[in-house]
Amino acid sequence: MFMGEYHHNIDDKSRIVLPSKLREELGMRFVVTRGLEGCLFVYSSDEWNRLVDKLKKLPFTKKDARAFLRFFLSGATECTFDKQGRIALPVPLVNYAKLKKECVIIGVNDRLEIWAEDSFNEFFSENEGNISDLAEDLFD
């Protein structure tokens, strides 16, 4: 299970360091793709395969299913770590998440999310006051 919040910078070659604890949990090969709310999702290979199995069950005859699959899978790329524990993110993913310099990496159960720091702070501020209501609605 991934959890925690980490702050790292992305360099001018679109490389970012992931903390060693997270690298161990991800394994040698993993997948990065477009996430929701403007961040990137990072999945271990095993978790990615489980997710793809679920996605295969979506009805291709439904327009929303086709749109989601195009959005989600077209951005997916398999990544590995370099010797310094960095991953090189493809330019389209960097642009999608608006990653400039300061980034926030968070653990969210079965995945990591990589956010531009400004976007994460905005998301957090917008939702901070509603967490009690969200929890009540989800867990009732």
Side-chain angles (χ1 to χ4, degrees):
M1 177 170 94
F2 295 107
M3 59 184 176
E5 179 179 324
Y6 309 86
H7 295 256
H8 289 273
N9 291 338
I10 190 168
D11 69 16
D12 57 353
K13 294 181 181 177
S14 301
R15 297 175 303 194
I16 188 168
V17 173
L18 295 185
S20 60
K21 178 182 177 185
L22 300 177
R23 292 195 303 263
E24 290 171 18
E25 290 184 53
L26 272 179
M28 294 300 294
R29 295 189 177 279
F30 50 93
V31 176
V32 181
T33 192
R34 289 182 198 97
L36 306 175
E37 287 95 22
C39 69
L40 301 180
F41 286 175
V42 184
Y43 292 97
S44 69
S45 290
D46 288 343
E47 194 60 43
W48 178 255
N49 291 333
R50 281 191 281 279
L51 180 59
V52 168
D53 286 342
K54 290 178 185 177
L55 293 175
K56 287 178 183 178
K57 295 174 184 166
L58 292 176
F60 77 93
T61 57
K62 299 280 188 183
K63 185 177 182 179
D64 288 347
R66 292 191 310 272
F68 180 78
L69 289 171
R70 288 177 187 131
F71 168 83
F72 195 68
L73 295 176
S74 67
T77 186
E78 188 176 68
C79 293
T80 58
F81 295 105
D82 68 10
K83 292 176 185 173
Q84 286 78 36
R86 299 174 298 195
I87 58 173
L89 297 170
V91 171
L93 293 182
V94 171
N95 292 339
Y96 168 76
K98 299 179 179 133
L99 303 177
K100 302 284 186 233
K101 185 163 176 84
E102 293 90 8
C103 299
V104 179
I105 302 161
I106 60 171
V108 187
N109 193 17
D110 64 345
R111 69 178 179 273
L112 298 174
E113 294 181 356
I114 301 174
W115 290 77
E117 187 176 58
D118 291 343
S119 298
F120 181 74
N121 290 340
E122 183 179 324
F123 172 82
F124 196 84
S125 293
E126 288 174 1
N127 290 282
E128 188 174 23
N130 301 327
I131 295 302
S132 294
D133 294 335
L134 291 171
E136 186 174 319
D137 292 342
L138 289 173
F139 297 104
D140 254 357

